[in-house]
Amino acid sequence: MKHEIEKKLWDVTAGAISSLRAPQPGAALNDECLRQWAATLPAAAYVRSLSTDVGRSSTAAVLALAGSVLAPSVVPPSSGSGRRGNAAERFYVAAQLPWATLRADRLAELKSELRRREYSVNTINQTLSAVRGVLTQCWRAGELGSDELARLKESLKGVRGSTMPAGRHVEREELQRILEQCLQDVTVAGIRDALIVCLLAAGLRRAEVAAIQLEDFDLRTGRLVVRGKGNKQRETFILKAGQSAAIRWLEHRGWDRGPLLRAVNKHGSVSSKLGMTSQAIYNVLKKRAGGAGVEVTPHDLRRTMIGEAFSSGFDIASIQALVGHASPATTSRYDRRPMDYRRAIMSELALNDGQGGVER
């Protein structure tokens, strides 16, 4: 019976989407695809309305997850990652499900199944939020009434719980090794990448790094205007190594307006117009960190900056403003001091193993 429901859901939309161009295997979820799909698919319209590439890709991924739970025989299983993955294909299929026909009992099943599979609280809530966004888009398209939308949203309230921030703390020596990998590379790309590492180490999100314009940065004072989530602007400062890296980069980039960071071809020529995507920023860090023998992500550097700020005694309101968190509760999750204090307590209370060590 379950698979019959899934097949019916698929058949409802099959005629409407037959003219859409499916992504090639390994293709990225780009704006061209979303623009074409958005004309008839509310899920694609919702994802396209998001302001950052990272937000689009992560939301598309959780909608594909929701689709695979609601219609497992229709949405293909996840395989591979990056260019070898099928993320775009999974979202393309999931977007074609008739989201406006969902009812509260099916949404309750979705929430229950995500919990049964032991997804993290963050993943579950991100998935439920994405489905709410799609249903709101269905309402805007006239496919769903206001009363029904309100009832469905009641079924999609987030789950409670908390998890530790993803990632790890990066030691200062590790970060220095990554920067040295860039500084030892005397090519134009190496000079640019040193600045990228400094910007990420300053706690910026990779999408924020990619979005920086030359006019956002005051080289003399180190003041930087950052465009964060929801197009909210904030002010931070890039000092010392970051300023030095910016000076060296601008000698090659030039001082014309536009993206601060630009593509560099294999001959060392800086593009006059082409900026960098958030994925390109991610790839730069993975390459330079790999050369230094360090496993790290951009978010690890952000987490480390916030933790170091707490350990240095700065107040939560100032740190929140620097990193662009909407809530101080989010910022407080990165405070390592309670963990350090708990470790100190247990160090005093731990049993001696008789050989000078402590119980682990």
Side-chain angles (χ1 to χ4, degrees), residues 83-352:
R83 294 182 179 179
R84 293 185 175 88
N86 66 338
E89 178 192 1
R90 276 169 53 81
F91 174 69
Y92 171 74
V93 174
Q96 297 171 63
L97 294 173
W99 296 91
T101 68
L102 287 172
R103 293 297 175 259
D105 59 336
R106 292 288 279 156
L107 294 176
E109 289 176 21
L110 169 64
K111 185 189 294 189
S112 176
E113 182 63 15
L114 290 173
R115 300 188 78 160
R116 189 190 69 79
R117 297 184 188 185
E118 298 184 346
Y119 283 101
S120 71
V121 171
N122 288 343
T123 297
I124 294 173
N125 286 336
Q126 187 182 7
T127 303
L128 299 178
S129 175
V131 174
R132 287 197 301 269
V134 173
L135 293 175
T136 300
Q137 192 67 40
C138 291
W139 169 76
R140 291 194 181 106
E143 299 180 13
L144 201 60
S146 299
D147 292 342
E148 182 63 15
L149 175 62
R151 281 192 292 271
L152 294 176
K153 284 187 172 182
E154 279 293 311
S155 303
L156 290 167
K157 286 185 175 180
V159 300
R160 292 187 176 184
S162 62
T163 57
M164 294 295 292
R168 69 178 187 90
H169 175 77
V170 182
E171 299 295 336
R172 182 62 61 94
E173 179 270 336
E174 291 179 304
L175 184 54
Q176 193 63 44
R177 276 163 41 202
I178 297 172
L179 183 57
E180 287 295 329
Q181 276 287 314
C182 303
L183 297 176
Q184 291 170 8
D185 182 351
V186 296
T187 66
V188 177
I191 293 169
R192 178 203 62 191
D193 294 353
L195 177 56
I196 290 174
V197 170
C198 289
L199 291 167
L200 291 172
L204 273 66
R205 303 176 178 97
R206 56 184 167 121
E208 293 171 344
V209 172
I212 297 171
Q213 302 294 299
L214 179 66
E215 50 270 30
D216 296 332
F217 186 40
D218 185 335
L219 186 59
R220 183 180 62 83
T221 64
R223 176 180 178 271
L224 177 66
V225 175
V226 180
R227 293 175 176 83
K229 289 183 176 180
N231 204 30
K232 295 177 182 177
Q233 294 187 3
R234 68 181 190 275
E235 181 181 83
T236 190
F237 290 85
I238 305 299
L239 303 171
K240 298 182 179 179
Q243 279 177 299
S244 298
I247 290 171
R248 291 193 298 271
W249 164 242
L250 289 170
E251 289 174 355
H252 295 274
R253 178 204 177 277
W255 292 86
D256 53 310
R257 295 170 67 89
L260 174 64
L261 299 167
R262 289 181 173 172
V264 176
N265 66 23
K266 61 182 179 181
H267 303 295
S269 298
V270 180
S271 171
S272 60
K273 295 181 179 180
L274 188 62
M276 298 182 69
T277 64
S278 61
Q279 185 61 48
I281 300 296
Y282 180 91
N283 293 342
V284 164
L285 180 63
K286 294 298 285 186
K287 173 185 175 182
R288 299 300 178 179
V294 179
E295 285 287 334
V296 68
T297 68
H299 190 75
D300 291 337
L301 298 186
R302 179 173 169 83
R303 170 185 177 144
T304 299
M305 176 268 174
I306 299 171
E308 292 283 358
F310 273 120
S311 296
S312 297
F314 294 103
D315 64 277
I316 189 171
S318 298
I319 300 171
Q320 177 193 352
L322 277 174
V323 299
H325 283 152
S327 166
T330 304
T331 310
S332 67
R333 294 173 60 225
Y334 294 82
D335 187 353
R336 298 197 310 270
R337 291 174 299 176
M339 180 184 67
D340 294 339
Y341 187 60
R342 289 193 293 270
R343 179 178 175 82
I345 293 173
M346 294 310 298
S347 178
E348 291 295 323
L349 300 178
L351 297 176
N352 194 311

